[in-house]
DNA sequence: CAGTAAGTTCAGTCTTGACTGAACTTACTG
DNA sequence: CAGTAAGTTCAGTCAAGACTGAACTTACTG
């Protein structure tokens, strides 16, 4: 691996982006970014700590969290005691699907709001009806899109 | 407005949700939540401050921010000096459209990552190619979905 | 059964950013 | 032109949470 510095800078960029977009901890983003461009694609905790200048504790906590939400895999090599981490295949579709869950929650919140109004059908409820209809629409359509992509992918 | 307490609790729930989902400041979320269920739908800064137990400064900063990102409108009543705020019509579609912008940025990041690899076409690049293809797919499809909804809405 | 390497846990530090309160600006009103 | 109400700005406070470093657990190895 020649351009380690460039790849590190890339990991950092990914981290900043994820932090802003989804509230993902900076260090978790760095790990994700590095695992996207490192060679080989599997890295152990010590390697991650060294290249990212992070403490063992931080790596441990963040890898566990990334495992928990399903973004990475933990694998072991026969005869070795160390754990190796890698980007999980299918991560991105799952991640999007998970983010799309929020849409359903917002549709439900709109419902709860309408229940508070004296006249949900009237002009007073227009705000929440618009919110409800939009989110209901996407709650219906987004899973179909993901499905469509998974089918296209298989071919 | 009889059930003020229930509506306040609702505003709080909206605030917590938006905070987690999009990193929106708690107080901005409270304002949005309250503007969704208040009666009348227009409220001035003093009213907002009182009902939400917030300082003038906080209301001022947050309403300006909400105006800036286009979630609310500022209107005035002839003969009154105060500004009134209300949920902007079409807010939700715009908000989603804005959040979908991130998809394009991620597709671009995947490209930048591939450029760092020695063999982007090979096994080494599989991680980033998957990421790229997925985000490219959604970058294409999501605007179409929003368009579709806007058309359905018009009828 | 010491010695060591891998990994976890947790108390403490540090940074970030939301929020308050007070000083300030602006503009209407008697 | 004083008086007042509306709104802005900003320095300071406070809380949340990311990260470190050290103590601890676990399990392999000579």
């Amino acid at each position: 691996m020649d351009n380690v510095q460039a790849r590190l800078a890339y990991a950092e960029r990914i981290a900043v982006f994820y932090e802003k977009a989804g509230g993902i901890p900076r260090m978790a983003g760095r790990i994700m970014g590095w695992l996207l461009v490192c060679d080989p694609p599997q890295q152990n905790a010590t390697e991650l700590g060294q290249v990212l200048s992070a403490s063992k504790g931080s790596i441990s906590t963040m890898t566990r969290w990334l495992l928990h939400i399903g973004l990475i895999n933990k694998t072991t090599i026969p005869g070795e005691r160390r754990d190796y981490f890698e980007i999980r295949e299918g991560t991105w579709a799952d991640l999007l699907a998970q983010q799309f869950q929020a849409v359903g929650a917002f549709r439900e919140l709109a419902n709860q709001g309408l229940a508070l109004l004296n006249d949900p059908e009237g002009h007073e409820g227009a705000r929440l009806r618009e919110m409800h209809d939009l989110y209901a629409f996407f709650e219906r359509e987004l899973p179909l899109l993901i499905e469509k992509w998974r089918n296209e992918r298989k071919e």
Side-chain angles (χ1 to χ4, degrees), chain A residues 79-153:
Chain A
E80 269 208 53
R81 190 138 55 86
R82 285 175 288 202
D83 296 328
Y84 282 81
F85 302 99
E86 65 184 357
I87 301 283
R88 199 173 60 76
E89 205 185 316
T91 278
W92 308 106
D94 292 358
L95 183 61
L96 264 189
Q98 188 189 319
Q99 290 172 343
F100 288 163
Q101 297 280 331
V103 169
F106 276 111
R107 200 254 313 128
E108 174 55 24
L109 272 175
N111 270 336
Q112 293 176 14
L114 284 167
L116 291 172
L117 303 184
N118 295 325
D119 181 17
E121 310 292 329
H123 180 256
E124 193 190 357
R127 299 160 281 180
L128 282 162
R129 285 202 307 276
E130 184 192 336
M131 175 177 169
H132 175 273
D133 291 353
L134 175 74
Y135 282 121
F137 175 82
F138 277 90
E139 190 181 14
R140 221 179 322 116
E141 298 286 344
L142 287 176
L144 298 179
L145 260 193
I146 293 185
E147 202 51 40
K148 186 177 166 194
W149 188 75
R150 286 193 172 125
N151 283 333
E152 280 192 15
R153 187 74 179 170

Side-chain angles (χ1 to χ4, degrees), chain A residues 38-58:
Chain A
C38 61
D39 182 31
Q42 294 83 23
Q43 301 272 299
N44 64 47
T46 310
E47 289 167 337
L48 289 175
Q50 277 174 358
V51 77
L52 300 176
S53 310
S55 69
K56 278 204 307 175
S58 189

Side-chain angles (χ1 to χ4, degrees), chain A residues 33-81:
Chain A
W34 180 251
L35 286 179
L36 274 173
V37 292
C38 61
D39 182 31
Q42 294 83 23
Q43 301 272 299
N44 64 47
T46 310
E47 289 167 337
L48 289 175
Q50 277 174 358
V51 77
L52 300 176
S53 310
S55 69
K56 278 204 307 175
S58 189
I59 298 292
S60 173
T61 305
M62 289 304 140
T63 48
R64 190 148 41 84
W65 184 71
L66 288 169
L67 277 168
H68 178 66
I69 61 173
L71 289 182
I72 62 175
N73 268 338
K74 178 153 82 171
T75 64
T76 45
I77 296 180
E80 269 208 53
R81 190 138 55 86

